[in-house]
Amino acid sequence: MAPGILQDPGKREGKTNCESYDCHSDEYRSGSMTFKFKDRIYAHDSVKNALLEAQHSKCCYCESKFRGQSPGDMEHFRPKGAVQQERSEKKEYPGYYWLAYSWENLLVSCSSCNSKKSTLFPLSDPEARARSHRDDMGAERPLLVDPASEEPRQHIRFRGPEIEPLTKRGRETIQVLRLDRSGLEEDRREKLDSLDKLKLIAGLGEKVDREPVEQARKLLEGAVLPDAKYSSMARCFLKPDNALEEN
Ligand SMILES: [Zn+2]
């Protein structure tokens, strides 16, 4: 359910932008006119907090946990101001302006993923791209996996801390967001090392004092729950045969 501020004034603001586009489409297409989006609406505390809760305070793309120092950036899955098919190609204007205040298009990401993705939003057929609120978005086949409406584990898996594509869309998602970037992989490796040690303790069973064994088992059970840091990787490591199973 979308927070109230996206209904009103969000919807009203979206309608004003659509009307403005209808009057000045050439100017918006050339980039000589640009929309002034209001972050006090789409990044309002009520919106961001609802998303943080739904995302278990993790980046929607890389599953890093948000901390006090880095509370996350508001992210538009379909970029609002301009759009690019590939990094090497020119930006196209005006982007998906009509989705700037749309609940379904909003996420919270870490600043690294946000800057890597930037205005990139590749489609399998760029000719099918909706260029205005009058076009049919249903014809688009996005190459990025939408973490809000799709199951990323159908497209991506982990071998140890290394991320691997299972599909073409998984490959594109890894490339656009650089989910194989070294800092992220190092952080995942650290998490995996501690899981590995816990697994060793949990496997000692009856041979040692039961308490640390039980505690290690509980920590391992928690590591695959949705609110755990890098839980997709943990699931591939700890439950390789049923990584897709729901909790
Ligand atoms: Zn991230």
Side-chain angles (χ1 to χ4, degrees):
M1 178 82 177
I5 193 158
L6 296 178
Q7 306 284 347
D8 186 27
K11 276 207 169 132
R12 189 160 21 102
E13 197 63 32
K15 190 165 172 265
T16 304
N17 285 345
C18 290
E19 286 166 359
S20 179
Y21 180 87
D22 281 340
C23 295
H24 306 284
S25 57
D26 288 346
E27 291 88 336
Y28 282 116
R29 288 266 188 146
S30 70
S32 64
M33 258 178 99
T34 51
F35 291 105
K36 304 279 179 283
F37 299 108
K38 294 180 177 165
D39 59 2
R40 65 181 167 78
I41 298 176
Y42 69 75
H44 188 265
D45 279 353
S46 62
V47 179
K48 195 164 182 186
N49 290 338
L51 288 167
L52 285 173
E53 195 183 336
Q55 294 177 203
H56 306 284
S57 293
K58 295 198 286 188
C59 170
C60 60
Y61 298 122
C62 76
E63 283 201 284
S64 298
K65 273 275 189 188
F66 294 127
R67 302 283 176 221
Q69 298 290 338
S70 53
D73 294 350
M74 284 304 296
E75 151 74 1
H76 289 80
F77 183 61
R78 282 175 163 83
K80 62 189 182 310
V83 64
Q84 273 175 295
Q85 174 70 15
E86 280 184 45
R87 243 174 264 278
S88 58
E89 287 185 13
K90 273 172 58 178
K91 287 180 185 175
E92 289 181 279
Y93 292 93
Y96 297 84
Y97 58 89
W98 64 99
L99 301 177
Y101 307 99
S102 166
W103 174 240
E104 289 72 25
N105 195 43
L106 292 171
L107 296 161
V108 185
S109 75
C110 70
S111 53
S112 298
C113 286
N114 198 11
S115 66
K116 304 275 182 277
K117 178 166 167 281
S118 186
T119 54
L120 284 166
F121 194 73
L123 302 178
S124 60
D125 174 14
E127 297 298 313
R129 189 181 302 284
R131 299 297 314 281
S132 87
H133 59 286
R134 299 192 175 280
D135 292 344
D136 175 21
M137 275 198 312
E140 292 189 345
R141 295 285 172 267
L143 288 173
L144 297 184
V145 178
D146 180 357
S149 64
E150 298 181 83
E151 178 46 81
R153 292 195 295 256
Q154 303 275 5
H155 301 276
I156 284 166
R157 73 172 171 191
F158 292 88
R159 275 189 196 273
E162 285 164 24
I163 195 164
E164 282 185 354
L166 293 171
T167 62
K168 184 183 174 201
R169 295 182 63 211
R171 175 171 290 110
E172 191 74 14
T173 302
I174 292 169
Q175 276 177 3
V176 166
L177 292 154
R178 302 269 159 87
L179 294 175
D180 54 357
R181 57 190 187 260
S182 59
L184 191 54
E185 203 173 289
E186 277 165 31
D187 208 26
R188 286 199 296 255
R189 190 179 297 278
E190 224 171 80
K191 175 76 187 170
L192 204 66
D193 284 349
S194 62
L195 290 177
D196 204 22
K197 289 188 183 86
L198 284 172
K199 212 174 151 189
L200 199 70
I201 298 168
L204 290 174
E206 307 299 317
K207 290 177 222 158
V208 293
D209 183 6
R210 287 196 63 79
E211 199 178 323
V213 172
E214 281 309 312
Q215 284 197 7
R217 284 183 183 159
K218 276 194 184 128
L219 287 167
L220 290 171
E221 280 165 20
V224 298
L225 295 179
D227 64 347
K229 181 179 179 180
Y230 306 136
S231 54
S232 300
M233 175 195 70
R235 195 181 282 264
C236 282
F237 176 63
L238 297 167
K239 298 181 162 191
D241 298 328
N242 49 5
L244 281 172
E245 181 190 89
E246 290 299 317
N247 275 301

